[in-house]
């Protein structure tokens, strides 16, 4: 049986090749040749993990996709809350439990805290995962920044903590996070404003987007859009706390801490999966 790490490697290469093609049509034969596999094999692995064919996926990587999302799947966070997508002990996608570190723990900058870390493969390139005994406290994509920068970024947030490389200890949470199955726990450390912003991000459903001003309004800081944007960028747990779903009012992507190519592919991947789910949903 093919292992998930193998699938991730195929996916990462395929997505990078498609993204580098600049929105121009890329025949399956050319993609398969670039990867060095048969067309049938690439089609099968890609469709299994993304939910749609490589050809269909390309439609979600266009430069106008973010604006299309803002037009068609713009979520106001108040509406998301009304349908039960929030709460202090909420489940995100039914599998994510999270808690914030206490202000005292935050003020200590990790003193007395042991953080276990390791690298894992993903469909979006190498991922650095870090976790306390209570859950993941960091998840960084290194495809754009590089491994050294990703490590310095996450480790620098807890300068007084002790770090131990221990893949086995954090693999269950990390693999559940990357696969979207099983339970993932988060243990977050941030300022009160950052925590509020990250809670707001958790209320944006997969395949949808919100604007930075939506987020500012939802936390009661209408005029603090810039501060909200900074807090979005400081999110230490990529993918699970979906800062990639925050866009500018114009429909522009805005920034992304782990690189705009990763943000673009995450939005495309989620849109493709929503489209695939819609296509197979039973008629009411």
């Amino acid at each position: 049986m093919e292992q998930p790490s193998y699938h991730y490697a195929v996916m990462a290469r395929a997505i990078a090749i498609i993204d580098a093609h600049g929105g121009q049509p890329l025949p399956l034969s050319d993609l398969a040749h670039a990867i060095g596999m048969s067309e049938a094999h690439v089609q099968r692995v890609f469709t299994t993990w993304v939910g749609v064919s490589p050809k269909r996926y390309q439609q979600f990587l266009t430069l106008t996709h973010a604006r299309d999302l803002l037009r068609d799947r713009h979520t106001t966070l108040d509406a998301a809350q009304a349908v039960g997508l929030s709460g202090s002990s909420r489940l995100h996608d039914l599998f994510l439990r999270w808690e914030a570190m206490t202000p005292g723990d935050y003020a200590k900058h990790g003193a007395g805290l042991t953080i276990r870390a390791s690298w894992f493969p993903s469909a979006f390139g190498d991922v650095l995962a870090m976790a306390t005994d209570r859950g993941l406290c960091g998840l960084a994509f290194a495809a754009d920044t590089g491994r050294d920068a990703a490590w310095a970024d996450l480790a620098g947030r807890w300068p007084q903590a002790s770090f131990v490389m221990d893949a086995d200890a954090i693999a269950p949470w990390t693999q559940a996070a990357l696969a979207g199955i099983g339970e993932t726990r988060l243990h977050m450390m941030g300022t009160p404003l950052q925590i509020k912003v990250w809670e707001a991000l958790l209320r944006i459903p997969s395949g949808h987007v919100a604007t930075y001003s939506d987020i500012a309004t939802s936390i009661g800081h209408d005029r603090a859009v810039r501060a909200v944007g900074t807090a979005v960028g400081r999110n230490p747990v990529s993918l699970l706390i979906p800062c990639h779903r925050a866009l500018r009012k114009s429909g522009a992507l805005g920034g992304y801490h782990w690189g705009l190519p990763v943000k673009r592919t995450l939005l495309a991947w989620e849109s493709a999966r929503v489209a695939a789910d819609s296509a197979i949903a039973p008629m009411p």
Side-chain angles (χ1 to χ4, degrees), residues 222-243:
D222 301 50
R223 300 183 180 181
V225 176
R226 181 170 296 182
V228 165
T230 299
V232 169
R234 288 293 293 172
N235 167 31
V237 180
S238 58
L239 185 63
L240 294 179
I241 295 183
C243 49

Side-chain angles (χ1 to χ4, degrees), residues 212 229 232-233 243-244 246-248 252-260 263:
Y212 293 101
V232 169
C243 49
H244 59 279
L247 302 178
R248 292 176 178 166
L253 287 176
Y256 187 61
H257 196 71
W258 309 112
L260 286 180
K263 181 172 185 173

Side-chain angles (χ1 to χ4, degrees), residues 62 96 120 134 136 179 216 258:
T62 64
L96 176 60
F120 295 87
R134 296 186 181 182
L136 290 173
W258 309 112

